[in-house]
């Protein structure tokens, strides 16, 4: 029932945007099985910038297009490997931290309840729910980043943004956005620990601080 309500809200928003020809649609990457075509000199930096062959990508429309076809695979050593994936090719890229960045969070009133809604820098929009939970640190390693970055990640908040089959893409909740999130919730003490309690719809989430 809880997820049905989220689905109902998403459906209503989709219908409201049905006349928008530029509506963001994520392709069915999980259905594509292309061959690996090698690595590309493209890096998503820890600050969210995209760099190609040593130059910062400044065309946001192109970055948003590439972000739609991001794919992540986890190997047997729990290391994450990132790709750009199309129906005919899979190209390896480098990701320093999380591939997506959360740039907005708002409380939305729907059906006499308050929901917490997130937005990435590339236009992904979703609600805090059981399919999009917040955690400190990522659930896997990144074989292509430094030990210092791995240690830093353990102290940063992330949220699952998108899942296509076995691929999972997380978004970094940047510090300013996390402060807004804290203001939306309540700090509680439990078992000698401090938790941030957040309510989205009729679900309650507790994040150990």
């Amino acid at each position: 029932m809880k997820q049905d309500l989220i689905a109902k809200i998403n459906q209503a928003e989709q219908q409201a945007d049905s006349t928008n020809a530029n509506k963001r649609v994520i392709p069915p990457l999980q259905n594509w099985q292309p061959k690996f075509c090698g690595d590309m000199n493209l890096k998503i930096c820890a600050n969210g910038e995209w760099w190609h062959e040593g130059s910062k990508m400044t065309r946001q429309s192109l970055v948003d297009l590439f972000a739609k076809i991001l794919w992540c695979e986890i190997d047997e050593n729990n290391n994450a490997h990132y790709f750009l994936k199309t129906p005919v090719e899979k190209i390896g890229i480098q990701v320093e931290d999380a591939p997506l960045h959360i740039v907005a969070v708002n409380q939305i009133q729907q059906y006499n309840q308050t929901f917490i809604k997130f937005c990435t820098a590339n236009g992904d929009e979703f609600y805090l729910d059981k399919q999009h939970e917040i955690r400190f640190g990522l659930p896997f390693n990144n074989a292509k980043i430094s030990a210092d970055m791995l240690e830093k990640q353990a102290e940063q908040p992330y949220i699952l943004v998108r899942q296509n089959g076995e691929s999972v893409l997380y978004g970094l909740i940047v510090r300013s956005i996390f402060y807004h999130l804290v203001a939306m919730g309540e700090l509680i003490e439990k078992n000698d620990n401090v938790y941030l309690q957040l309510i989205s719809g009729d679900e309650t989430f507790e994040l150990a601080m």
Side-chain angles (χ1 to χ4, degrees):
M1 180 64 70
K2 297 176 181 179
Q3 293 307 314
D4 288 345
L5 186 55
I6 294 290
K8 185 183 295 184
I9 295 173
N10 287 329
Q11 183 179 14
E13 291 183 343
Q14 290 170 5
Q15 291 174 349
D17 293 337
S18 61
T19 58
N20 184 355
N22 297 319
K23 179 174 173 54
R24 183 174 178 78
V25 177
I26 303 301
L29 305 180
Q30 68 276 10
N31 297 333
W32 299 344
Q33 304 300 327
K35 292 183 178 181
F36 177 63
C37 300
D39 293 327
M40 178 181 184
N41 188 1
L42 188 151
K43 178 173 66 175
I44 303 177
C45 299
N47 62 3
E49 294 177 350
W50 290 55
W51 286 69
H52 178 238
E53 297 184 346
S55 297
K56 180 181 176 181
M57 295 177 61
T58 57
R59 287 180 55 194
Q60 188 62 40
S61 60
L62 183 59
V63 171
D64 293 345
L65 177 63
F66 281 176
K68 287 183 179 182
I69 56 173
L70 278 170
W71 182 258
C72 177
E73 294 181 0
I74 311 300
D75 66 20
E76 63 275 8
N77 296 316
N78 200 38
N79 289 319
H81 302 270
Y82 291 93
F83 307 88
L84 298 181
K85 188 178 182 184
T86 75
V88 296
E89 59 186 1
K90 185 172 70 174
I91 303 172
I93 65 171
Q94 183 179 356
V95 177
E96 286 188 339
D97 196 349
L100 302 171
H101 272 218
I102 306 300
V103 295
V105 60
N106 295 288
Q107 290 180 304
I108 306 297
Q109 301 294 324
Q110 293 276 12
Y111 301 99
N112 298 318
Q113 295 188 54
T114 301
F115 295 85
I116 297 177
K117 187 175 184 179
F118 294 88
C119 182
T120 71
N122 307 110
D124 300 274
E125 296 184 347
F126 57 94
Y127 293 92
L128 175 62
D129 58 18
K130 294 298 184 183
Q131 277 67 52
H132 304 88
E133 292 196 70
I134 303 171
R135 57 174 294 145
F136 281 101
L138 294 169
F140 42 72
N141 303 316
N142 189 332
K144 297 182 179 180
I145 65 175
S146 66
D148 290 342
M149 177 59 73
L150 287 174
E151 184 176 347
K152 181 180 178 181
Q153 285 180 342
E155 302 176 352
Q156 296 182 149
Y158 299 86
I159 187 167
L160 178 58
V161 176
R162 194 192 310 160
Q163 184 162 2
N164 299 82
E166 297 179 356
S167 172
V168 289
L169 298 177
Y170 279 82
L172 172 65
I173 303 176
V174 299
R175 182 176 300 178
S176 59
I177 299 302
F178 188 70
Y179 288 157
H180 285 300
L181 198 61
V182 170
M184 295 176 183
E186 179 182 0
L187 294 177
I188 62 173
E189 292 188 12
K190 182 188 295 186
N191 301 325
D192 296 326
N193 290 319
V194 176
Y195 294 83
L196 172 61
Q197 186 180 81
L198 297 165
I199 298 176
S200 184
D202 55 4
E203 293 182 321
T204 300
F205 301 86
E206 292 182 355
L207 182 66
M209 301 292 286

